[in-house]
Amino acid sequence: MRTRLTLTATLALAALGSAAHAATTLTVFMGSQQRPEIFQPIFDRFEKQNPNVKIKIETGGATSEAQNQYLTTVLAAKDNTLDLFLIDVVRTATFAAAGWAEPLDAYLPSKDTYLKAFLPGPVGAASVNGKLYAMPAFTDAQFLYYRKDLLEKYKAKVPKTWDELAATAARIQKAEGGSLQGFNFQGAPIEGTVCNFLEMTWTGGGSVSDVTGPAAKQGLGFLVNAVKTKLAPAASAEMKTDDSRQQFQAGNVLFGLNWSYAWAHFQGNSPQPTKVKGDVGVAALPAFGKNATATCTGGWEWGLNAYSRNKATAVKLLQFMASNDVQKEMAVKGAYLPVRKSLYNDKAVLTANPHFKALYPIVTKARPRPVTPAYPRVSEIIRNNVSAAVAGSKSVDAALNDMKRDLEPLLK
């Protein structure tokens, strides 16, 4: 009898020991456009350093909107299957208000000291009412990409104003013939279109609080006219961010608006072939008249699921992802704009991305989209009206009047 009890106890202890050493699986959600292939080797390295942790990537949604829709469904059900998720910087206030994102302050005892090494923009975007609701993953902004070889061929300068861009593009399009797009922007009902509209408004001296004012009319009018004059493609109202990237990469675009991730693709670090390697330049966005350039704060951040059962382990991964070495690797291999200030002077980073040094002042002055828990609705109102105007199904005035009517109660 004693032997049987001893054997039973031994087996029980062995089971407990086995459970103690069982791996914790962290499920990480990101969109397909976030390039999981860049993240996978980094996660593999974390697993080697932490043998009891396994990381499972779940991907879904090719746009910010599609990813947000999925996460909203999962988190509204208080689902604990996801531990971490990448969210667009515009989502923080919404996720905080809904109670879906766990505040990180309690997990970072020296939070203020820790965050001093980060750019203030991403930290601000990840914070609500002084609490850190996400860990900055990488920052971003929109830039003007241009074909250096074609500007040199026609002895043209990088445009400082939108009028210069239109004139240069029309001249080179005519000379080149064929299907060259003079100007490519996002006009589909997506988040990038919100940014394009805000940038056109800001660079005209306007703001989102006056969407029927002269600057907003001028900005939206420019986008609509670009399609009418065939400077931009006829299908611009269906153009998504990655469509723009692929068309530029295929050699079909002279001037294009896009985010920092496009650079690595253009240089050949891409699933699709590139015809523009070595021929691409990057600059600040043009402006109207003597107004200053302006760009939209972009980027993504790591949210910790408030319903996760593995919060402490997940935060350990977040700090690893925000470390200097990982931020450097993401910049070198993926052209992601780092959230750590020091990397904008790092030799390896600048060798891979020579434009980063010049873009640093642009990134630090990038402007946020409206910060509100109602942002999903704000975004929907702007992007749907802009897309309708670009498609020609609404006039510029009608689109802006409808935009004003629907935004006013949300932006009081």
Side-chain angles (χ1 to χ4, degrees), residues 52-71:
N52 291 339
V53 180
K54 299 297 176 191
I55 300 169
K56 176 187 169 188
I57 298 178
E58 184 177 320
T59 58
T63 65
S64 171
E65 295 72 38
Q67 291 158 41
N68 186 59
Q69 189 174 20
Y70 172 74
L71 287 173

Side-chain angles (χ1 to χ4, degrees), residues 7 16 39 95 116-117 141 213 222 250 263 303 307 328 337 340 344 370 395 400:
L7 179 61
L16 283 171
F39 288 88
F95 277 56
K116 276 182 182 175
F222 183 89
W263 175 265
Y307 310 111
K328 181 174 177 176
L337 285 164
R340 288 182 172 269
Y344 288 85
S395 69
L400 294 176

Side-chain angles (χ1 to χ4, degrees), residues 302-343:
W302 293 108
L304 171 61
N305 186 354
Y307 310 111
S308 167
R309 294 174 179 171
N310 306 303
K311 290 176 184 173
T313 307
V315 172
K316 189 176 181 182
L317 175 59
L318 294 192
Q319 290 178 284
F320 177 77
M321 296 305 294
S323 68
N324 198 73
D325 286 351
V326 170
Q327 286 284 303
K328 181 174 177 176
E329 180 173 338
M330 288 176 61
V332 170
K333 294 185 178 176
Y336 289 105
L337 285 164
V339 296
R340 288 182 172 269
K341 302 173 194 172
S342 62
L343 291 172

Side-chain angles (χ1 to χ4, degrees), residues 147-367:
R147 287 282 298 278
K148 290 191 301 185
D149 56 329
L150 289 175
L151 291 191
E152 288 168 9
K153 180 178 176 181
Y154 293 99
K155 297 181 171 54
K157 293 180 179 178
V158 178
K160 294 289 178 65
T161 70
W162 292 112
D163 289 341
E164 286 174 11
L165 181 146
T168 301
R171 177 166 70 90
I172 294 177
Q173 267 185 307
K174 185 177 179 181
E176 285 289 298
S179 58
L180 181 70
Q181 299 171 24
F183 178 50
N184 183 293
F185 66 94
Q186 291 84 60
I190 62 163
E191 197 57 40
T193 297
V194 176
C195 290
N196 285 182
F197 170 72
L198 291 175
E199 289 156 353
M200 300 303 291
T201 301
W202 293 335
T203 55
S207 74
V208 72
S209 61
D210 187 17
V211 294
T212 54
K217 284 186 181 181
Q218 176 180 237
L220 183 54
F222 183 89
L223 297 180
V224 170
N225 197 52
V227 177
K228 285 181 179 175
T229 59
K230 299 184 178 178
L231 203 67
S236 290
E238 300 165 19
M239 191 73 65
K240 297 185 176 77
T241 305
D242 214 47
D243 300 332
S244 294
R245 187 270 299 175
Q246 291 186 45
Q247 292 185 20
F248 193 106
Q249 190 170 327
N252 299 329
V253 180
L254 174 62
F255 294 115
L257 300 185
N258 221 312
W259 302 87
S260 62
Y261 87 105
W263 175 265
H265 285 276
F266 297 157
Q267 302 311 310
N269 186 1
S270 176
Q272 296 89 13
T274 180
K275 293 186 177 179
V276 296
K277 183 176 181 179
D279 291 331
V280 183
V282 193
L285 300 189
F288 288 103
K290 294 183 179 178
N291 286 293
T293 182
T295 188
C296 223
T297 299
W300 292 73
E301 54 197 26
W302 293 108
L304 171 61
N305 186 354
Y307 310 111
S308 167
R309 294 174 179 171
N310 306 303
K311 290 176 184 173
T313 307
V315 172
K316 189 176 181 182
L317 175 59
L318 294 192
Q319 290 178 284
F320 177 77
M321 296 305 294
S323 68
N324 198 73
D325 286 351
V326 170
Q327 286 284 303
K328 181 174 177 176
E329 180 173 338
M330 288 176 61
V332 170
K333 294 185 178 176
Y336 289 105
L337 285 164
V339 296
R340 288 182 172 269
K341 302 173 194 172
S342 62
L343 291 172
Y344 288 85
N345 288 311
D346 182 272
K347 188 176 179 182
V349 170
L350 293 177
T351 299
N353 307 282
H355 57 297
F356 272 20
K357 199 170 186 72
L359 297 186
Y360 181 71
I362 304 171
V363 172
T364 54
K365 291 177 184 173
R367 295 172 62 167

Side-chain angles (χ1 to χ4, degrees), residues 76-98:
K78 299 185 178 181
D79 194 312
N80 62 17
T81 51
L82 298 179
D83 296 292
L84 297 168
F85 39 79
L86 268 181
I87 54 173
D88 196 322
V89 291
V90 296
R91 311 288 178 204
T92 317
T94 305
F95 277 56

